[in-house]
Amino acid sequence: MNIPETKLPRVVIIGGGFAGISLAQKLLKLPLQTVLLDRHNYHTFQPLLYQVSTSGLEPDSIAYPLRKITRLHSGGYFRMGEVTGIDAESNIVHSDIGDLNYDYLVIATGSKTNFFGNKSIEENAMWMKTVPQALNIRSLILENLEQAVITEDPEKRRALLNFVLAGAGPTGVELSGAIAELRNQVVPKDYPDIAADEMQIHLLEGLDRVLPPMSVKASENAHKFLEELGVHIHLNTMVESYDGHLVKTNTDLELRSETFIWSAGVTGAPVAGLNASAMIEKANRYQVNEFNQVHGYENIFAIGDIAIMQSEDYPRGHPMVAQPAIQQGSHLAKNFSRLLKGEQLKAFEYFDKGSMATVGRNRAVVDIGKFKFGGFFAWYIWMFIHLWFLIGFRNRFVTFFNWVYNYINYDKAARLIIRPFKGFKIAMENNQKKS
Ligand SMILES: Cc1cc2nc3c(=O)[nH]c(=O)nc-3n(C[C@H](O)[C@H](O)[C@H](O)COP(=O)(O)OP(=O)(O)OC[C@H]3O[C@@H](n4cnc5c(N)ncnc54)[C@H](O)[C@@H]3O)c2cc1C
């Protein structure tokens, strides 16, 4: 990987997500050689991915170059590569760009979409964890609208204009709200040949309320806001299969749809190589102690979504959201500083700053301690917090400008099919057939 051996202890961080960059930014100030590895050369601000997939924001405004973080210190290195395995006996990570030895290893690989073993959904649904996947959804939505205008088959037209989402957690709620806004604000202007009620958005949830991780009040508010936007909500409804055209559920409901988005769960994204006892198998996440040390290893740590730190307050580990990841990264950096000074490590304590979700323009729900509220003020707070946590001044500025522009003009500026999803998929399949 072309990284010089020095006298400084080497810390290798796998993953430049919220946890990885929060750690790297602080480690760079310590007498350590810090190597950050990620399969992408940018950090993704996942909470705003749904705005990319619904044409509200350009992808560049929610991504941040990882080299901009490591360049801040001469002891900092970034390498773009996929880590494929860990050899903990020899203290080496294996990757598609070569091997690298470490003194300390920090695994911050986050999570991946969970299909719960359902192959038909995995093969045919869309999902959203990365910028390319968000762009695929954006292209598919726009391509289906374009096709709906020209098709003469009424059944096909209905399927092209039916948008179905499974999972009414924050992602499903935010995404369906944003698609509804696209339908309410942009489609009537751009596609005058599509009647407003022809485009349908269905949100399916297996439990008995939307936003199950939030308070009942937040669920009720979000439910009301979604209905006001014209989203059809189906509670206690589990998707059983999707063959690319038909969504089948455990109830009588069957929906023809050419756009089915799966947002019903995540699971850890571990790296192969550690002992089975290091994992909580059901969750696919590493079991860590209060210092984020992986069970059974002294010099291997895990932070963020990939780590489960069980405690009395959090018997199933911390929620898989950005705050625990940021706080664990920052706390581990302080523990590295203590380690270097030969001091005792301090236990991690999570400070819950609350949770929130937005449902289109002017509407959001917020739970902060015992304060639970929804509406315009919540939306204002949601915007402010997301701008605050976006990485980089340029990204904040561009996002703010876009939001103001969209707000004033009732518009979504980024509705471009730059890389067609269907065309791309067909070309890939043809290539595979030829080879
Ligand atoms: C669509 C969506 C919306 C969300 N909305 C919210 C929200 O509104 N609020 C909130 O608090 N949280 C939200 N979350 C959750 C939040 O984004 C995660 O909890 C957070 O990103 C976890 O941070 P992390 O650093 O653990 O993992 P991630 O941010 O996922 O970072 C993991 C990094 O590791 C890299 N990586 C993984 N495996 C490898 C490998 N083998 N080799 C090299 N690199 C690898 C990945 O490329 C990635 O950069 C959302 C998540 C999604 C997907």
Side-chain angles (χ1 to χ4, degrees), residues 254-266:
E254 287 193 353
L255 294 161
R256 294 214 164 273
S257 174
E258 295 296 307
T259 321
F260 173 60
I261 302 172
W262 180 252
S263 59
V266 290

Side-chain angles (χ1 to χ4, degrees), residues 15 17-19 38-39 46-47 81 83 108-110 129 171 304-305 320-322:
F18 283 105
D38 200 294
R39 58 166 75 102
Q46 292 174 3
V83 176
T109 45
K129 265 303 275 180
T171 301
D305 276 4
M320 291 166 87
V321 291

Side-chain angles (χ1 to χ4, degrees), residues 95-403:
S95 80
D96 61 357
I97 54 163
D99 295 348
L100 186 67
N101 57 304
Y102 61 82
D103 295 296
Y104 299 100
L105 178 66
V106 183
I107 309 172
T109 45
S111 57
K112 58 186 180 191
T113 304
N114 192 354
F115 301 97
F116 303 98
N118 190 317
K119 283 282 161 216
S120 75
I121 295 174
E122 185 169 354
E123 278 162 20
N124 298 306
M126 306 296 286
W127 63 93
M128 194 177 62
K129 265 303 275 180
T130 63
V131 168
Q133 287 162 357
L135 283 173
N136 283 343
I137 294 178
R138 176 174 101 181
S139 293
L140 183 67
I141 292 174
L142 298 170
E143 281 178 281
N144 282 347
L145 290 174
E146 292 297 335
Q147 273 197 18
V149 171
I150 54 171
T151 186
E152 288 173 6
D153 176 348
E155 271 293 301
K156 192 172 172 205
R157 181 174 165 107
R158 245 195 306 281
L160 287 163
L161 293 173
N162 241 356
F163 294 79
V164 182
L165 297 94
T171 301
V173 164
E174 297 191 333
L175 199 48
S176 50
I179 298 176
E181 291 224 304
L182 196 71
R183 188 257 320 266
N184 300 347
Q185 293 165 12
V186 177
V187 170
K189 287 186 268 177
D190 276 15
Y191 301 90
D193 4 33
I194 297 177
D197 59 350
E198 267 190 296
M199 185 171 160
Q200 304 254 327
I201 299 134
H202 295 270
L203 178 61
L204 279 47
E205 167 58 48
L207 298 177
D208 59 358
R209 61 184 177 109
V210 302
L211 290 181
M214 293 185 69
S215 66
V216 172
K217 182 154 189 204
S219 295
E220 287 169 359
N221 274 330
H223 195 114
K224 185 180 83 176
F225 296 155
L226 283 168
E227 284 190 335
E228 282 167 8
L229 285 172
V231 175
H232 302 281
I233 301 171
H234 309 269
L235 300 175
N236 301 309
T237 306
M238 311 266 277
V239 175
E240 290 192 330
S241 66
Y242 177 61
D243 62 3
H245 306 286
L246 182 69
V247 182
K248 286 190 177 172
T249 71
N250 63 341
T251 69
D252 294 341
L253 182 74
E254 287 193 353
L255 294 161
R256 294 214 164 273
S257 174
E258 295 296 307
T259 321
F260 173 60
I261 302 172
W262 180 252
S263 59
V266 290
T267 181
V271 181
L274 299 193
N275 291 332
S277 63
M279 303 286 300
I280 303 267
E281 202 186 324
K282 213 170 145 207
N284 228 9
R285 297 161 78 192
Y286 296 110
Q287 191 182 350
V288 298
N289 64 12
E290 67 273 38
F291 312 120
N292 283 98
Q293 260 161 333
V294 175
H295 181 73
Y297 298 91
E298 265 207 2
N299 63 341
I300 303 183
F301 299 80
I303 51 177
D305 276 4
I306 192 62
I308 282 202
M309 187 188 288
Q310 288 166 316
S311 64
E312 221 170 275
D313 290 346
Y314 297 95
R316 294 164 65 198
H318 300 106
M320 291 166 87
V321 291
Q323 272 305 318
I326 295 169
Q327 292 178 31
Q328 285 181 3
S330 160
H331 184 81
L332 183 57
K334 288 185 194 139
N335 268 342
F336 267 111
S337 170
R338 292 185 187 104
L339 201 81
L340 291 173
K341 291 185 214 148
E343 293 173 5
Q344 188 71 32
L345 302 189
K346 267 199 181 163
F348 172 76
E349 271 176 45
Y350 175 49
F351 175 53
D352 184 359
K353 294 184 178 168
S355 47
M356 54 185 70
T358 180
V359 192
R361 178 193 177 84
N362 290 345
R363 303 169 176 97
V365 288
V366 171
D367 287 348
I368 303 176
K370 37 183 201 256
F371 299 106
K372 300 174 197 324
F373 51 98
F376 183 75
F377 183 56
W379 182 67
Y380 193 76
I381 293 183
W382 178 91
M383 275 200 305
F384 176 77
I385 300 260
H386 281 73
L387 278 179
W388 182 265
F389 278 101
L390 254 182
I391 318 281
F393 173 76
R394 180 198 162 276
N395 286 358
R396 282 190 204 122
F397 180 78
V398 173
T399 301
F400 179 69
F401 175 80
N402 262 281
W403 285 350

